[in-house]
Amino acid sequence: MDKLSMVGGTPLKGEVLISGAKNAALPILCACLLTDQAIVLRNVPDLQDVRTMLKLLQEIGVKVSFPDEANRTHLVLHAADIKSSEATYEMVKTMRASILVLGPLLARMHSAKVSLPGGCAIGARPVDQHIKGLKAMGATIQIQSGYIQAEMKPPLERLQGASILTDMITVTGTENLLMAATLATGTTILENAAREPEVGDLAELLVKMGAKITGIGTDRLVIQGVEKLHSAEHTIIADRIETGTFLCAVAATGGEVLVKHCRPDTLDAVLAKLKEVGLEMEVGPDWIKASMQVRPKAVNFRTSEYPAFPTDMQAQLMAVNAIASGTATITETIFENRFMHVQEMNRLGADIAIEGNTAVVQGVEKLSGAVVMATDLRASASLVIAGLAAQGETQVDRIYHLDRGYDRMEQKLTLLGAQIKRIH
């Protein structure tokens, strides 16, 4: 099992290119199931989760090709001959986003059998809202032996447009129902829809494929169903979480870094907090020049749905707060188990106490290197940041979590001057 070893204390300097967004790529890959024509994608991040999703799609019958084998960020998906409407437990158990094949398969093939999903153990992420919405659109759904089994309710041959108000904001739920609604009869209205930029990116591709969608970027999506979708080309949006992660690394270690190929307009809440920390930033349309010359200042924050501060950035900013001057209070409102990195960060010398869904971080002047263990995707990134800021050597075990969501992270950090290497 791979590990990352790093020696902290080196300020980061140079340029880093941001990859395509994992959380946009995964639903966009599934959108190919909605048409029998080819979908051409660019800026696809080369991540373990993406490779897992491609394997799942191939198992279903999708042909995956790379016009240039040396460039896995450019690919073509062709779902002309779907041979199975089943996503098996073996394929789904490692990645919760596999649930995103449910809506497209049901809409196009009129049936789907999808294993209940796995993924990071950061808390309960039920699929009841997906099921509620699809039932409202005319599907019959049963959960048997760990599988969601969905089919059209006779005599229906297509899903039916419906007005759906989800009980909570759910990103994957919005994406699943959005894809399903594109091929439904009539109009579907999704109320309380997730507003994340990755949802908008999926919607933009669907429009290119011939879908009729209004309200993109708002919490009310209106979809006029069509009979067929067609081929399209699309470039996946830059990963705002990867961008924020590198900015936190600069804030924690010092130095000056130009972050390129990013989307600052999707990071308002994160950039506001990093300014409070003391990170100096010049911001362009697709770049951020970040400089840190002082010790960070502690900042309080609370996670919530977009456009508020994202839960996927909580652990990384906590790592900055760990070495900041002052005390910070961090409240996590999305996932109940998303403080599992705290115990590991304290092994590095941090002073963090948990009270319910709140973490109180008393900043210390220096962290000290130690052996720590990644517990989930974003926790692994936070431990890398803490290790880069710590004195001495830090080793992060179980970095397969990191590889699920960060494209060549240690290589990018090495180019910025970090002393970091992968141990096989």
mmCIF file of all heavy atoms in Angstrom, residues 152-172:
data_model
loop_
_atom_site.group_PDB
_atom_site.id
_atom_site.type_symbol
_atom_site.label_atom_id
_atom_site.label_comp_id
_atom_site.label_asym_id
_atom_site.label_seq_id
_atom_site.Cartn_x
_atom_site.Cartn_y
_atom_site.Cartn_z
ATOM 1 N N MET A 152 -39.867 0.775 -15.006
ATOM 2 C CA MET A 152 -41.036 1.581 -15.300
ATOM 3 C C MET A 152 -42.288 0.932 -14.733
ATOM 4 O O MET A 152 -42.429 -0.292 -14.748
ATOM 5 C CB MET A 152 -41.205 1.750 -16.809
ATOM 6 C CG MET A 152 -40.073 2.499 -17.475
ATOM 7 S SD MET A 152 -39.855 4.163 -16.813
ATOM 8 C CE MET A 152 -38.605 4.761 -17.948
ATOM 9 N N LYS A 153 -43.200 1.743 -14.265
ATOM 10 C CA LYS A 153 -44.479 1.248 -13.765
ATOM 11 C C LYS A 153 -45.401 1.008 -14.964
ATOM 12 O O LYS A 153 -45.713 1.951 -15.695
ATOM 13 C CB LYS A 153 -45.093 2.277 -12.814
ATOM 14 C CG LYS A 153 -46.344 1.825 -12.095
ATOM 15 C CD LYS A 153 -46.905 2.967 -11.262
ATOM 16 C CE LYS A 153 -45.946 3.388 -10.167
ATOM 17 N NZ LYS A 153 -46.508 4.501 -9.354
ATOM 18 N N PRO A 154 -45.802 -0.246 -15.230
ATOM 19 C CA PRO A 154 -46.660 -0.522 -16.394
ATOM 20 C C PRO A 154 -47.917 0.341 -16.333
ATOM 21 O O PRO A 154 -48.461 0.565 -15.240
ATOM 22 C CB PRO A 154 -47.007 -2.005 -16.235
ATOM 23 C CG PRO A 154 -45.910 -2.549 -15.377
ATOM 24 C CD PRO A 154 -45.519 -1.448 -14.449
ATOM 25 N N PRO A 155 -48.452 0.848 -17.495
ATOM 26 C CA PRO A 155 -47.967 0.588 -18.856
ATOM 27 C C PRO A 155 -46.989 1.661 -19.359
ATOM 28 O O PRO A 155 -46.815 1.801 -20.561
ATOM 29 C CB PRO A 155 -49.275 0.624 -19.653
ATOM 30 C CG PRO A 155 -50.069 1.697 -18.954
ATOM 31 C CD PRO A 155 -49.712 1.606 -17.490
ATOM 32 N N LEU A 156 -46.367 2.408 -18.467
ATOM 33 C CA LEU A 156 -45.480 3.486 -18.894
ATOM 34 C C LEU A 156 -44.259 2.933 -19.624
ATOM 35 O O LEU A 156 -43.688 1.925 -19.228
ATOM 36 C CB LEU A 156 -45.013 4.304 -17.678
ATOM 37 C CG LEU A 156 -46.088 5.059 -16.879
ATOM 38 C CD1 LEU A 156 -45.441 5.768 -15.705
ATOM 39 C CD2 LEU A 156 -46.818 6.055 -17.774
ATOM 40 N N GLU A 157 -43.858 3.626 -20.681
ATOM 41 C CA GLU A 157 -42.632 3.278 -21.393
ATOM 42 C C GLU A 157 -41.532 4.306 -21.164
ATOM 43 O O GLU A 157 -40.373 4.046 -21.456
ATOM 44 C CB GLU A 157 -42.909 3.148 -22.891
ATOM 45 C CG GLU A 157 -43.816 1.973 -23.228
ATOM 46 C CD GLU A 157 -43.972 1.777 -24.717
ATOM 47 O OE1 GLU A 157 -43.422 2.599 -25.488
ATOM 48 O OE2 GLU A 157 -44.634 0.801 -25.119
ATOM 49 N N ARG A 158 -41.905 5.474 -20.655
ATOM 50 C CA ARG A 158 -40.926 6.517 -20.341
ATOM 51 C C ARG A 158 -41.236 7.100 -18.978
ATOM 52 O O ARG A 158 -42.385 7.060 -18.511
ATOM 53 C CB ARG A 158 -40.943 7.643 -21.395
ATOM 54 C CG ARG A 158 -40.423 7.251 -22.760
ATOM 55 C CD ARG A 158 -40.675 8.350 -23.783
ATOM 56 N NE ARG A 158 -40.006 9.602 -23.424
ATOM 57 C CZ ARG A 158 -40.195 10.756 -24.098
ATOM 58 N NH1 ARG A 158 -41.044 10.804 -25.105
ATOM 59 N NH2 ARG A 158 -39.545 11.841 -23.723
ATOM 60 N N LEU A 159 -40.214 7.632 -18.346
ATOM 61 C CA LEU A 159 -40.442 8.377 -17.114
ATOM 62 C C LEU A 159 -41.343 9.572 -17.415
ATOM 63 O O LEU A 159 -41.358 10.096 -18.536
ATOM 64 C CB LEU A 159 -39.113 8.856 -16.528
ATOM 65 C CG LEU A 159 -38.198 7.767 -15.954
ATOM 66 C CD1 LEU A 159 -36.843 8.356 -15.576
ATOM 67 C CD2 LEU A 159 -38.830 7.077 -14.751
ATOM 68 N N GLN A 160 -42.073 9.999 -16.399
ATOM 69 C CA GLN A 160 -43.018 11.106 -16.558
ATOM 70 C C GLN A 160 -42.515 12.339 -15.806
ATOM 71 O O GLN A 160 -41.992 12.234 -14.692
ATOM 72 C CB GLN A 160 -44.392 10.702 -16.003
ATOM 73 C CG GLN A 160 -44.941 9.417 -16.598
ATOM 74 C CD GLN A 160 -45.259 9.551 -18.065
ATOM 75 O OE1 GLN A 160 -46.102 10.358 -18.456
ATOM 76 N NE2 GLN A 160 -44.579 8.759 -18.889
ATOM 77 N N GLY A 161 -42.685 13.492 -16.418
ATOM 78 C CA GLY A 161 -42.305 14.733 -15.749
ATOM 79 C C GLY A 161 -43.047 14.883 -14.432
ATOM 80 O O GLY A 161 -44.197 14.459 -14.297
ATOM 81 N N ALA A 162 -42.390 15.471 -13.450
ATOM 82 C CA ALA A 162 -43.003 15.635 -12.125
ATOM 83 C C ALA A 162 -42.397 16.848 -11.438
ATOM 84 O O ALA A 162 -41.318 17.314 -11.806
ATOM 85 C CB ALA A 162 -42.769 14.382 -11.281
ATOM 86 N N SER A 163 -43.104 17.338 -10.442
ATOM 87 C CA SER A 163 -42.573 18.402 -9.585
ATOM 88 C C SER A 163 -42.008 17.738 -8.338
ATOM 89 O O SER A 163 -42.733 17.055 -7.603
ATOM 90 C CB SER A 163 -43.676 19.393 -9.220
ATOM 91 O OG SER A 163 -43.154 20.455 -8.444
ATOM 92 N N ILE A 164 -40.699 17.903 -8.114
ATOM 93 C CA ILE A 164 -40.002 17.177 -7.047
ATOM 94 C C ILE A 164 -39.341 18.175 -6.104
ATOM 95 O O ILE A 164 -38.511 18.992 -6.522
ATOM 96 C CB ILE A 164 -38.941 16.232 -7.643
ATOM 97 C CG1 ILE A 164 -39.596 15.236 -8.611
ATOM 98 C CG2 ILE A 164 -38.191 15.500 -6.534
ATOM 99 C CD1 ILE A 164 -38.599 14.479 -9.469
ATOM 100 N N LEU A 165 -39.704 18.095 -4.848
ATOM 101 C CA LEU A 165 -39.071 18.912 -3.800
ATOM 102 C C LEU A 165 -38.323 17.965 -2.881
ATOM 103 O O LEU A 165 -38.936 17.183 -2.150
ATOM 104 C CB LEU A 165 -40.122 19.700 -3.018
ATOM 105 C CG LEU A 165 -39.618 20.444 -1.765
ATOM 106 C CD1 LEU A 165 -38.608 21.518 -2.145
ATOM 107 C CD2 LEU A 165 -40.783 21.057 -0.998
ATOM 108 N N THR A 166 -37.004 18.002 -2.924
ATOM 109 C CA THR A 166 -36.225 17.113 -2.058
ATOM 110 C C THR A 166 -36.246 17.634 -0.622
ATOM 111 O O THR A 166 -36.323 18.837 -0.380
ATOM 112 C CB THR A 166 -34.773 16.986 -2.541
ATOM 113 O OG1 THR A 166 -34.197 18.297 -2.657
ATOM 114 C CG2 THR A 166 -34.705 16.300 -3.897
ATOM 115 N N ASP A 167 -36.179 16.701 0.321
ATOM 116 C CA ASP A 167 -36.240 17.060 1.739
ATOM 117 C C ASP A 167 -34.969 17.767 2.195
ATOM 118 O O ASP A 167 -34.965 18.443 3.231
ATOM 119 C CB ASP A 167 -36.438 15.798 2.589
ATOM 120 C CG ASP A 167 -37.737 15.086 2.265
ATOM 121 O OD1 ASP A 167 -38.669 15.747 1.783
ATOM 122 O OD2 ASP A 167 -37.809 13.862 2.483
ATOM 123 N N MET A 168 -33.892 17.548 1.453
ATOM 124 C CA MET A 168 -32.616 18.158 1.787
ATOM 125 C C MET A 168 -31.894 18.446 0.475
ATOM 126 O O MET A 168 -32.260 17.924 -0.575
ATOM 127 C CB MET A 168 -31.776 17.197 2.642
ATOM 128 C CG MET A 168 -31.587 15.837 1.985
ATOM 129 S SD MET A 168 -30.775 14.609 3.005
ATOM 130 C CE MET A 168 -29.087 15.149 2.883
ATOM 131 N N ILE A 169 -30.874 19.297 0.536
ATOM 132 C CA ILE A 169 -30.071 19.555 -0.660
ATOM 133 C C ILE A 169 -29.128 18.385 -0.850
ATOM 134 O O ILE A 169 -28.361 18.035 0.050
ATOM 135 C CB ILE A 169 -29.283 20.870 -0.519
ATOM 136 C CG1 ILE A 169 -30.251 22.057 -0.394
ATOM 137 C CG2 ILE A 169 -28.348 21.071 -1.712
ATOM 138 C CD1 ILE A 169 -29.569 23.378 -0.096
ATOM 139 N N THR A 170 -29.191 17.759 -2.006
ATOM 140 C CA THR A 170 -28.351 16.615 -2.303
ATOM 141 C C THR A 170 -27.741 16.782 -3.685
ATOM 142 O O THR A 170 -28.479 16.921 -4.673
ATOM 143 C CB THR A 170 -29.133 15.288 -2.205
ATOM 144 O OG1 THR A 170 -28.419 14.257 -2.907
ATOM 145 C CG2 THR A 170 -30.534 15.390 -2.795
ATOM 146 N N VAL A 171 -26.414 16.774 -3.748
ATOM 147 C CA VAL A 171 -25.732 17.002 -5.023
ATOM 148 C C VAL A 171 -25.963 15.832 -5.968
ATOM 149 O O VAL A 171 -26.446 15.996 -7.094
ATOM 150 C CB VAL A 171 -24.225 17.239 -4.805
ATOM 151 C CG1 VAL A 171 -23.499 17.323 -6.149
ATOM 152 C CG2 VAL A 171 -23.998 18.530 -4.021
ATOM 153 N N THR A 172 -25.627 14.609 -5.529
ATOM 154 C CA THR A 172 -25.802 13.465 -6.423
ATOM 155 C C THR A 172 -27.281 13.202 -6.702
ATOM 156 O O THR A 172 -27.636 12.744 -7.797
ATOM 157 C CB THR A 172 -25.139 12.199 -5.847
ATOM 158 O OG1 THR A 172 -25.615 11.970 -4.528
ATOM 159 C CG2 THR A 172 -23.629 12.328 -5.850
#
